[in-house]
Amino acid sequence: MCPFFSWRENPKTKEQIESLLQNGKHKELRDRLCCRLTFGTAGLRSAMGAGFCYINDLTVIQSTQGIYKYLERCFSDFKQRGFVVGYDTRGQVTSNCSSKKLAKLTAAVLLAKDVPVYFFSTYVPTPFVPYAVQQLKAVAGVMITASHNRKEDNGYKVYWENGAQITSPHDKEIIKCIEECVEPWNGSWNENLVDTSPLRQDPLKKICDCYMEDLKKICYHRELNMQTNLKFVHTSFHGVGHDYVQLAFKAFGFQPPIPVPEQKDPDPDFSTVRCPNPEEGESVLELSLRLAEKESARVVVATDPDADRLAVAEQQENGCWKVFTGNELAALFGWWMFSCWKENCSRDADVKNVYMLATTVSSKILRAIALKEGFHFEETLPGFKWIGSRVKNLLDNGKEILFAFEESIGFMCGTSVLDKDGVSAAVVIAEMATYLEGKNQTLAQKLTEIYETYGYHISKTSYFLCYDPPTIKRIFEKLRNFDGPQSYPKFCGVYSILHVRDVTTGYDSSQLNKKSVLPVSKSSQMITFTFQNGCVATLRTSGTEPKIKYYAEMCALPEQSDRTFLEEELRKLIEALIENFLEPDKNGLIWRSA
């Protein structure tokens, strides 16, 4: 008998496998049962349902057993320090799967092995888990969430004792441990242990209070916030964000933002949006923008369903709305956090001790600001797990980190949380908008001023869907053997390529030894092209979805102020990139829907 049957205590997922068997769907059965979940840029993430490569109660139990085994090996004081478990509001009736249930099973595995568990009594933003791991000095933590993914998905995000998401070698070692103990242990199925075990504590009040208090460290204009007439609309996208963003605004001295009533409360079906990702722009912000117009609120802040990312829109003088990209918001945050540091630092503070970070596929605007202002800028591989680990390393070496970001609207303001945090970012942008209003400036006007000071950085990010892994592999292998074996392209259409970096293989033509400075990442595809005209473009696979993403940016010097020319040059280069390197028609790629 298939072990999925014999180990299973969920009749819904058992029915799914039996149905596939009865209907002769052998390929789907193989797909579901013959491979296992692996750690991507955001932990384990997949659809909810039956099978070893899906998120379900069995795979969560197996993952937690593997983590227990690994942590027991790494920490002699594991059973004194404990483990943090949080969850969002996702759920699926067809597989009898919800984030809360999966979190209870995660806790059960550990409680049955006499590990103290800090289990949140209600849903929390993802940033609360890494924050709690550090505050409570736990050895690790798990957040059950699929963030902004489609409603069918869920995930399992693991944080180490340093408060950052796990990176290699921990992820690989945990997978090995999972494979060594796949059969559920006695007690692993007992989800009621969280209600009865004396080893379970609820950290909700302590963590929420401490978080809001720590948030005040990056509040610089409380008096202005208390007096402002500027109104804000907030949408939590049917997720966890509403209560926590309200509290954050209160901590900064603001009146509460106006919530979008239809999206304020948790709804696992995300019934008012076609996808629960605020990064998709105006099309998914429709209800927020209409409410803002009705309430005369000029700024809209949108947290994604687990409140770790933030989208921002601002009404312009002509009545139209500008939805800022992640890169544009980073320019604003970078300027703001450095300006506030400069105004408030001590006389003997050294700007050379100050750092900002970004992932390598994100805008280089922070690099431009750093060059002019004298602080340090560093890049990491894509994924906030790399940023969090590097920030912790810098902090341990006495450095001061003001801000870090990834272009997919993930921002870290300050260092209370070593992960992206939509709650803190929402209230920081509100304070920034309030301050600028006092100077008769909008966020959009300030952004233009930043670009005129430090150089225009015009970027475009999009993606193609591809559900066929061999096709994806073929596309990238062709780029590695473009003009012959082991020969990368020298041109993309008419555009001359200056350098190529391939972090999948560890190659970088810009380095004397031809080796990439960034760590090799063989588990995903990522190639970056630096063009003669100053454009940098990256093609990479998503770590959480069946996508080939492209990122392109024109990085201009301050004296190159013809924005229209730069935008046209970028548009033409992206066209060439898609036509020559991705070949969507030939490869059957699905264009991102508008």
Side-chain angles (χ1 to χ4, degrees):
M1 180 184 273
C2 169
F4 198 84
F5 284 137
S6 56
W7 298 338
R8 170 123 317 281
E9 291 198 11
N10 181 340
K12 295 275 190 183
T13 45
K14 189 176 178 182
E15 279 169 25
Q16 288 179 16
I17 296 296
E18 284 173 340
S19 171
L20 292 169
L21 200 57
Q22 286 162 11
N23 293 316
K25 296 194 174 177
H26 298 138
K27 184 187 180 300
E28 190 174 340
L29 269 172
R30 272 196 304 276
D31 290 345
R32 284 177 180 244
L33 297 174
C34 295
C35 63
R36 185 167 289 286
L37 292 167
T38 56
F39 284 97
T41 51
L44 304 173
R45 200 176 284 185
S46 186
M48 290 179 275
F52 294 123
C53 63
Y54 278 60
I55 294 284
N56 53 62
D57 40 15
L58 179 60
T59 53
V60 161
I61 284 171
Q62 291 172 330
S63 300
T64 310
Q65 289 180 172
I67 284 172
Y68 169 82
K69 194 167 184 179
Y70 184 60
L71 292 175
E72 191 181 37
R73 190 191 302 164
C74 294
F75 298 98
S76 59
D77 55 355
F78 181 20
K79 292 186 178 180
Q80 285 74 53
R81 291 169 61 189
F83 192 95
V84 177
V85 179
Y87 52 93
D88 68 10
T89 55
R90 286 176 175 262
Q92 187 184 67
V93 174
T94 54
S95 59
N96 188 24
C97 217
S98 71
S99 292
K100 186 168 188 177
K101 181 185 179 184
L102 298 176
K104 282 184 165 189
L105 290 168
T106 301
V109 171
L110 300 165
L111 290 167
K113 290 288 184 182
D114 299 322
V115 176
V117 174
Y118 298 99
F119 183 89
F120 285 99
S121 55
T122 188
Y123 54 82
V124 289
T126 289
F128 272 37
V129 170
Y131 181 76
V133 168
Q134 286 197 292
Q135 287 292 312
L136 302 168
K137 296 181 170 55
V139 298
V142 158
M143 176 72 185
I144 306 292
T145 180
S147 190
H148 57 280
N149 275 39
R150 62 196 190 126
K151 67 180 181 181
E152 291 82 5
D153 291 353
N154 216 325
Y156 186 96
K157 213 168 191 177
V158 185
Y159 293 89
W160 200 243
E161 64 167 343
N162 62 4
Q165 288 177 58
I166 58 165
T167 55
S168 193
H170 300 311
D171 51 1
K172 292 176 179 61
E173 292 300 316
I174 289 169
I175 291 292
K176 277 188 208 167
C177 289
I178 291 168
E179 287 165 355
E180 288 167 13
C181 46
V182 289
E183 185 168 351
W185 301 331
N186 288 338
S188 288
W189 285 103
N190 186 3
E191 62 183 274
N192 296 323
L193 265 180
V194 294
D195 302 315
T196 59
S197 172
L199 290 171
R200 180 266 172 137
Q201 291 183 54
D202 177 12
L204 182 67
K205 187 178 187 311
K206 177 181 178 177
I207 292 305
C208 195
D209 289 350
C210 288
Y211 174 92
M212 296 303 162
E213 196 57 39
D214 267 350
L215 205 51
K216 293 174 185 175
K217 292 175 186 171
I218 50 171
C219 176
Y220 297 101
H221 298 279
R222 192 179 173 81
E223 292 297 316
L224 279 179
N225 301 342
M226 290 169 74
Q227 294 161 14
T228 187
N229 293 318
L230 198 59
K231 291 201 275 186
F232 302 91
V233 160
H234 169 240
T235 173
S236 50
F237 263 69
H238 299 293
V240 307
H242 171 73
D243 292 341
Y244 303 101
V245 170
Q246 295 271 315
L247 288 170
F249 269 67
K250 184 181 178 184
F252 265 49
F254 283 111
Q255 289 296 306
I258 303 159
V260 177
E262 303 93 328
Q263 297 174 337
K264 176 174 74 74
D265 298 318
D267 171 10
D269 289 324
F270 306 114
S271 50
T272 67
V273 288
R274 62 178 176 81
C275 77
N277 184 357
E279 198 184 353
E280 294 290 333
E282 199 161 338
S283 62
V284 291
L285 294 171
E286 183 70 26
L287 286 173
S288 316
L289 304 183
R290 299 298 79 83
L291 177 64
E293 287 166 359
K294 182 183 161 194
E295 296 284 350
S296 301
R298 191 161 53 76
V299 177
V300 168
V301 290
T303 47
D304 70 340
D306 68 327
D308 69 344
R309 304 194 314 154
L310 178 79
V312 179
E314 181 185 58
Q315 192 169 33
Q316 306 304 292
E317 284 181 7
N318 61 4
C320 294
W321 286 90
K322 175 174 175 57
V323 181
F324 295 90
T325 67
N327 286 331
E328 289 173 334
L329 287 172
L332 287 163
F333 278 122
W335 157 76
W336 177 255
M337 295 304 286
F338 184 70
S339 298
C340 292
W341 176 84
K342 213 158 57 169
E343 282 175 29
N344 293 280
C345 67
S346 60
R347 279 187 178 180
D348 59 347
D350 185 359
V351 73
K352 291 184 175 63
N353 205 45
V354 170
Y355 282 72
M356 292 194 196
L357 292 87
T359 59
T360 189
V361 294
S362 302
S363 174
K364 314 298 177 199
I365 184 63
L366 295 186
R367 181 180 66 186
I369 299 173
L371 281 169
K372 194 158 186 172
E373 301 295 347
F375 62 85
H376 288 277
F377 168 71
E378 282 194 12
E379 281 189 335
T380 71
L381 285 173
F384 238 91
K385 62 183 184 181
W386 300 104
I387 286 180
S389 294
R390 181 58 183 150
V391 167
K392 184 67 172 77
N393 182 260
L394 288 167
L395 288 171
D396 289 346
N397 284 284
K399 307 303 179 188
E400 192 171 358
I401 294 84
L402 303 184
F403 174 66
F405 87 103
E406 61 183 2
E407 56 74 36
S408 52
I409 59 173
F411 310 105
M412 187 192 89
C413 300
T415 54
S416 291
V417 176
L418 300 187
D419 201 5
K420 54 185 178 283
D421 182 356
V423 177
S424 59
V427 74
V428 169
I429 206 84
E431 181 170 79
M432 193 193 306
T434 300
Y435 171 85
L436 289 171
E437 193 198 34
K439 309 280 184 191
N440 292 315
Q441 254 189 328
T442 64
L443 292 168
Q445 286 165 347
K446 185 67 203 182
L447 180 65
T448 300
E449 191 180 285
I450 291 165
Y451 284 146
E452 285 171 351
T453 305
Y454 301 106
Y456 274 97
H457 285 61
I458 314 293
S459 58
K460 172 80 190 289
T461 300
S462 195
Y463 60 82
F464 288 88
L465 291 166
C466 182
Y467 296 95
D468 183 47
T471 298
I472 293 173
K473 190 172 183 189
R474 192 173 65 245
I475 289 168
F476 282 89
E477 283 307 311
K478 184 182 174 185
L479 292 172
R480 295 184 181 108
N481 303 278
F482 201 77
D483 297 317
Q486 296 182 312
S487 169
Y488 292 88
K490 295 175 179 62
F491 285 86
C492 179
V494 299
Y495 296 98
S496 174
I497 295 169
L498 195 61
H499 295 298
V500 178
R501 183 186 64 202
D502 184 347
V503 297
T504 309
T505 64
Y507 172 78
D508 188 343
S509 67
S510 72
Q511 300 298 312
L512 282 173
N513 63 1
K514 306 300 178 193
K515 289 185 178 177
S516 172
V517 176
L518 289 174
V520 176
S521 181
K522 290 180 183 174
S523 60
S524 60
Q525 303 280 359
M526 187 169 93
I527 303 177
T528 300
F529 303 94
T530 302
F531 290 87
Q532 199 85 45
N533 66 357
C535 181
V536 179
T538 296
L539 301 175
R540 71 176 277 258
T541 48
S542 168
T544 57
E545 296 165 289
K547 292 175 178 177
I548 301 176
K549 294 185 171 184
Y550 66 83
Y551 310 77
E553 181 174 49
M554 289 294 295
C555 305
L557 296 168
E559 55 267 25
Q560 290 175 279
S561 57
D562 188 343
R563 183 175 182 138
T564 307
F565 168 77
L566 294 167
E567 285 175 343
E568 182 61 17
E569 189 76 350
L570 182 66
R571 185 190 64 78
K572 288 192 291 192
L573 193 141
I574 289 171
E575 275 182 11
L577 194 76
I578 291 168
E579 186 183 327
N580 293 280
F581 290 175
L582 293 177
E583 303 176 285
D585 294 337
K586 178 183 165 184
N587 290 310
L589 306 182
I590 303 163
W591 292 72
R592 173 187 179 176
S593 55

